[in-house]
Amino acid sequence: MDLAFTPEQEAFRKEARAWLETNVPAEPLETFDLPDGFEQHREWEKKLHAGGWAMVPWPVEYGGRGADLLSWLVFEEEYYRSGAPGRVNQNGIFLLGPTIMEYGTPEQKARFLPKMASSEEVWAQGWSEPNAGSDMANIQATAIRDGDHFVVNGQKTWASRGAYAHWLFGLFRTDPESKRHHGLSFVLLPLQGEGITVRPIQKINGKAAFAEVFFDDARVPVENLLGPEGQGWSVAMATAGFERGLMLRSPARFQHTAARLVALYRETVERGDPVSPSMRERVARCWMDAEAYCLNTYQTVSRLLAGGKIGAEASLNKIFWSELDVRMHELALELLGPRGEMPGAWLDGYVFALSGPIYAGTNQIQKNIIAERILGLPRK
Amino acid sequence: MDFGFSEDQLLLQSTVRDFLQAECTAEWVRSGWETETGRDPVFWKKLAELGIPGLLVPERHGGLGMDDVDLVLLMEEVGRVGLAEPLVPTVQGVGILRGLEDAAPAAEWLPRVAEGDAILTVGVMGNGFVPDAHVADLLLIHDDGALLSVPRDAIRADPVASGDGSQRLFEVSFSRADAGVLAQGERARALVAEALDRGALCCAAQALGVADQLIRMAAEYASQREQFGVAIGTFQAVKHMLAEVKVALEYARSHVYRAAYSVAHAAPARAADASMAKLAACEAASTAAKVSLQVHGAIGYTYEQDVHVWMKRAWSLERACGDSVFHRARLCDAVIDGKSPAESFGYSPPAGLG
């Protein structure tokens, strides 16, 4: 165990900090759940990419920086510290990207990763269907082989970034006779074209954060199959592992929120606004929990660098960060008192935090996974 | 940067685990509740043969010369079996003796600790109870600004009852004339502060083992106990309770391992790190106790069943080496008021938030 950063890591941190200080937009961008904001965020991604910071741990040939996951964590720490914009292509760069890295053919890597890194192509997720939410193995959308194409039919829903994204990845039933998690395949599809209809869905703040997507004999070339045909479930589980376990929510995000919360508490006290005695301890506890999440992530990354894999313990993570995020925002709104209902960063953040326990597999599903796969409780 | 343990560290942990699982059964722990001292000199010798009391003792004094990062893995195993031998006060005492400017007390006592021939304990006059004063060969007491060494026969130790039959607590008194002065003023304060953080760390690491054991017992019971024709572990109400406390345990673990590093390296934020470890781990253990009891139902509430053996350890660990009120206050002072260092790992807040 050596918890000191190396001189190289410190130098990397300095370099990232300097670049971000020069380049992060002074004014916050419009939300990427609106068309203008979406384009503003793509512009920002283009700049990040040109600076070589879009995807720190990816190989240079795919638009990355060729650094390891520890450097990525350092970059993320600097990224959140700098107040830089949210990553509009997070579905691509953090979830699909690592999956393509693991399961993709050389051609797929060359075709998809560079444009993903630059956000020329922004990705939406296509897991859920009207009858396959928590019960994801109940997927009914089909992709039936017809020569060198799949013919896709069915409906996906709650596709994050689906309103404006260019591509979608998801699970489709390639064996129409199959049941549950058998016979599914992981397919990459463009969101424009014949037989594809995207209908944006507004989230509770009225902005189009996701979409439902209808497929009506849409044709997709077989090259867009990721991983073996019929093995989509295990490919998807790898993606879910990245999502829940590591990349989607890097710890600095929560450490930064915790630092803002501590600052808000101090300001509230200095202003003489009322605080209840328990708030002080709750603020410190949030800060402590954000640290726990960070420490746990460094443990995970150390394990991965030593050749380990992300397994069911990713579910522990997802519960911890999503609940922490809600807790921090609730406390901030309490501290704001009457101003807590006014639009602003904390209320926006709270609305977003509330989706955390739902997306990426509800926390109830995660608890089932922990109980069955980690603690060994019987499924039935 | 590497937040993992070495193969050697994990091997030592597994050796100690195997030994304790075989030797320190719940039945044996309970038998200690009924004896006068609650302590077993023969068992202590075996612990010394494994190197545990002398783990932090420098090699030149016959110890293993290891550090707190090695130690926490073993303390976790000590907690897992509910062992209450005076390991925590002894390693606290080792830390103090090791840190003295005067080398003589260390040369006199540390080889004996490493051999298993001496037990140490530490205390602060007027602040809580002193554990294991009845079996300690040397007491290290912070009193009125001075760090004192008091031999066993100069101490009057009045027992204080504990709800945990394994716990042996005392109020001690002695004559200053019988005490030697080891350090004074700032030096004494620093040594006692380090001992407190090391003690908190060791209790936290034990609490990890306690929590893990309680969760494991509940999971095993829920897998075989049937109601409504199925194992109760198939019910989500049961699964989710256990999953939630497993989350608490694993995030507490991260704090404990980091605090181990901070204590071993005298990091600036050592106190805050130790407090976070203690708070998180003891909360996980207390919650695991309640959840385990609930999953076991009425049978878990009996004296015959073993849930309460670990539940009581969870209670006493939470109160040892600074209770939760102390550690929460100390954390607040650091994080909110900046009275002592609290450092984010990796991330540092920008100007205006710092």
Side-chain angles (χ1 to χ4, degrees):
Chain A
M1 187 179 293
D2 176 6
L3 300 188
F5 291 94
T6 63
E8 291 75 22
Q9 285 160 344
E10 292 296 0
F12 177 80
R13 182 188 296 285
K14 240 172 123 175
E15 192 187 349
R17 186 174 295 186
W19 189 89
L20 289 162
E21 275 171 0
T22 315
N23 290 282
V24 168
E27 293 298 316
L29 307 183
E30 180 68 89
T31 169
F32 50 53
D33 294 334
L34 290 172
D36 287 353
F38 184 82
E39 289 309 321
Q40 286 173 18
H41 279 81
R42 279 182 77 206
E43 281 304 308
W44 162 246
E45 288 291 335
K46 216 162 126 182
K47 200 169 181 180
L48 261 182
H49 182 251
W53 299 101
M55 225 25 233
V56 166
W58 286 11
V60 176
E61 56 180 315
Y62 301 132
R65 205 177 187 86
D68 67 9
L69 283 173
L70 285 169
S71 300
W72 174 70
L73 288 175
V74 169
F75 173 73
E76 290 283 292
E77 284 153 8
E78 295 308 313
Y79 194 84
Y80 282 102
R81 181 182 192 278
S82 74
R87 306 298 299 270
V88 65
N89 205 8
Q90 57 187 351
N91 296 316
I93 55 181
F94 294 146
L95 311 182
L96 178 60
T99 315
I100 291 182
M101 220 70 85
E102 190 169 338
Y103 289 94
T105 62
E107 294 74 24
Q108 287 174 326
K109 290 177 186 174
R111 161 66 190 84
F112 291 111
L113 294 175
K115 288 183 178 176
M116 190 184 289
S118 66
S119 286
E120 184 180 335
E121 293 172 346
V122 176
W123 287 80
Q125 297 197 48
W127 305 124
S128 295
E129 297 181 2
N131 290 312
S134 286
D135 185 11
M136 199 169 95
N138 197 37
I139 280 172
Q140 287 155 17
T142 52
I144 305 301
R145 189 78 177 250
D146 177 23
D148 53 4
H149 279 73
F150 289 111
V151 179
V152 182
N153 280 286
Q155 179 186 350
K156 292 288 176 186
T157 192
W158 321 129
S160 299
R161 296 296 90 66
Y164 316 115
H166 311 94
W167 282 77
L168 173 140
F169 61 89
L171 284 185
F172 294 83
R173 206 162 280 288
T174 40
D175 174 0
E177 303 301 314
S178 64
K179 293 242 182 316
R180 306 297 298 163
H181 53 277
H182 303 286
L184 296 169
S185 296
F186 197 114
V187 183
L188 315 174
L189 318 94
L191 276 176
Q192 297 82 15
E194 210 171 315
I196 297 174
T197 309
V198 176
R199 193 182 295 165
I201 303 173
Q202 297 175 342
K203 70 173 182 180
I204 55 178
N205 65 2
K207 316 242 165 77
F210 38 32
E212 49 188 350
V213 184
F214 300 87
F215 302 96
D216 186 11
D217 286 338
R219 293 180 73 81
V220 182
V222 290
E223 301 94 89
N224 291 11
L225 174 72
L226 182 64
E229 188 168 339
Q231 300 294 311
W233 185 265
S234 36
V235 181
M237 287 305 107
T239 311
F242 289 119
E243 178 171 34
R244 296 165 188 162
L246 184 61
M247 296 205 92
L248 182 64
R249 295 290 173 248
S250 76
R253 176 192 183 101
F254 304 105
Q255 289 174 301
H256 188 62
T257 305
R260 287 171 53 222
L261 183 63
V262 170
L264 176 66
Y265 177 84
R266 289 177 183 152
E267 286 157 26
T268 307
V269 171
E270 276 163 24
R271 235 191 350 258
D273 283 352
V275 289
S276 72
S278 72
M279 281 176 157
R280 184 177 150 89
E281 288 191 354
R282 287 163 65 203
V283 169
R285 182 58 190 241
C286 285
W287 186 90
M288 165 175 154
D289 289 344
E291 285 304 299
Y293 181 55
C294 172
L295 296 166
N296 193 273
T297 300
Y298 272 90
Q299 279 180 281
T300 301
V301 166
S302 295
R303 207 181 68 236
L304 293 177
L305 291 176
K309 286 210 158 212
I310 292 183
E313 76 284 351
S315 295
L316 299 164
N317 251 34
K318 200 263 162 172
I319 290 171
F320 194 81
W321 60 248
S322 61
E323 291 184 351
L324 170 61
D325 207 23
V326 171
R327 211 155 55 235
M328 289 196 289
H329 284 87
E330 278 174 346
L331 183 48
L333 294 178
E334 273 184 64
L335 282 166
L336 286 169
R339 291 174 297 133
E341 64 181 281
M342 293 165 68
W346 285 112
L347 187 57
D348 287 351
Y350 182 49
V351 167
F352 184 74
L354 286 173
S355 64
I358 302 170
Y359 67 73
T362 66
N363 286 9
Q364 286 65 38
I365 292 294
Q366 306 310 321
K367 288 175 193 175
N368 288 349
I369 292 172
I370 293 164
E372 289 163 14
R373 300 206 207 136
I374 299 179
L375 301 178
L377 290 175
R379 285 179 61 84
K380 286 201 167 75
Chain B
M1 173 64 59
D2 176 16
F3 202 159
F5 292 93
S6 70
E7 276 179 30
D8 285 350
Q9 285 168 328
L10 296 173
L11 182 66
L12 180 59
Q13 180 185 31
S14 107
T15 306
V16 168
R17 177 185 300 191
D18 292 345
F19 167 80
L20 290 175
Q21 298 281 345
E23 300 268 330
C24 183
T25 60
E27 193 186 0
W28 183 79
V29 170
R30 284 165 175 266
S31 71
W33 295 356
E34 313 300 333
T35 66
E36 193 190 334
T37 65
R39 301 293 175 253
D40 182 342
V42 177
F43 194 80
W44 185 260
K45 263 292 203 195
K46 290 184 188 172
L47 291 173
E49 279 163 25
L50 279 167
I52 307 177
L55 195 89
L56 300 183
V57 172
E59 285 174 284
R60 67 178 181 280
H61 292 310
L64 294 180
M66 292 182 171
D67 71 17
D68 301 275
V69 177
D70 305 285
L71 183 62
V72 280
L73 292 177
L74 310 189
M75 283 294 171
E76 207 174 317
E77 300 310 320
V78 167
R80 193 188 309 283
V81 294
L83 176 68
E85 289 289 329
L87 286 167
V88 177
T90 297
V91 298
Q92 285 179 290
V94 167
I96 288 174
L97 293 171
R98 214 174 54 167
L100 291 172
E101 276 163 18
D102 176 6
E108 181 187 352
W109 286 98
L110 292 183
R112 294 180 59 193
V113 171
E115 280 297 312
D117 293 333
I119 288 170
L120 310 175
T121 192
V122 296
V124 176
M125 290 309 280
N127 185 4
F129 308 122
V130 180
D132 297 292
H134 63 320
V135 292
D137 298 282
L138 183 71
L139 291 88
L140 303 167
I141 305 289
H142 196 215
D143 184 22
D144 196 21
L147 179 59
L148 309 172
S149 68
V150 193
R152 174 191 225 160
D153 50 15
I155 282 277
R156 180 181 159 173
D158 296 315
V160 178
S162 167
D164 174 10
S166 290
Q167 189 79 322
R168 292 292 191 273
L169 297 174
F170 299 87
E171 282 179 335
V172 301
S173 51
F174 57 92
S175 160
R176 275 293 278 263
D178 296 326
V181 177
L182 296 174
Q184 307 223 49
E186 180 51 32
R187 185 74 198 143
R189 196 207 56 78
L191 287 168
V192 172
E194 179 186 335
L196 172 67
D197 291 342
R198 177 165 289 118
L201 171 69
C202 290
C203 291
Q206 286 188 56
L208 296 180
V210 168
D212 202 43
Q213 171 66 13
L214 284 161
I215 294 170
R216 190 185 311 262
M217 287 165 73
E220 278 170 17
Y221 181 75
S223 299
Q224 50 92 3
R225 166 70 176 166
E226 292 191 359
Q227 285 288 272
F228 307 101
V230 291
I232 61 170
T234 60
F235 300 133
Q236 289 195 344
V238 171
K239 283 181 178 167
H240 290 193
M241 269 197 296
L242 286 167
E244 283 162 17
V245 68
K246 178 67 174 170
V247 172
L249 168 59
E250 291 311 314
Y251 284 87
R253 187 182 299 285
S254 305
H255 277 304
V256 173
Y257 294 166
R258 193 255 184 119
Y261 187 86
S262 294
V263 172
H265 293 84
R270 184 191 72 203
D273 292 344
S275 283
M276 291 193 284
K278 181 78 170 24
L279 285 168
C282 287
E283 185 181 285
S286 297
T287 308
K290 282 188 288 186
V291 166
S292 197
L293 174 63
Q294 189 68 22
V295 169
H296 281 85
I299 190 74
Y301 195 68
T302 62
Y303 194 76
E304 178 193 357
Q305 219 278 346
D306 288 329
V307 170
H308 68 104
V309 175
W310 280 272
M311 174 182 275
K312 289 166 180 172
R313 288 309 294 153
W315 296 345
S316 51
L317 287 169
E318 183 151 7
R319 277 150 195 88
C321 297
D323 63 11
S324 296
V325 173
F326 168 83
H327 286 291
R328 275 200 297 268
R330 196 164 76 153
L331 181 66
C332 285
D333 287 348
V335 172
I336 308 234
D337 301 334
K339 282 186 192 163
S340 59
E343 279 176 14
S344 274
F345 195 87
Y347 166 87
S348 62
L353 286 187

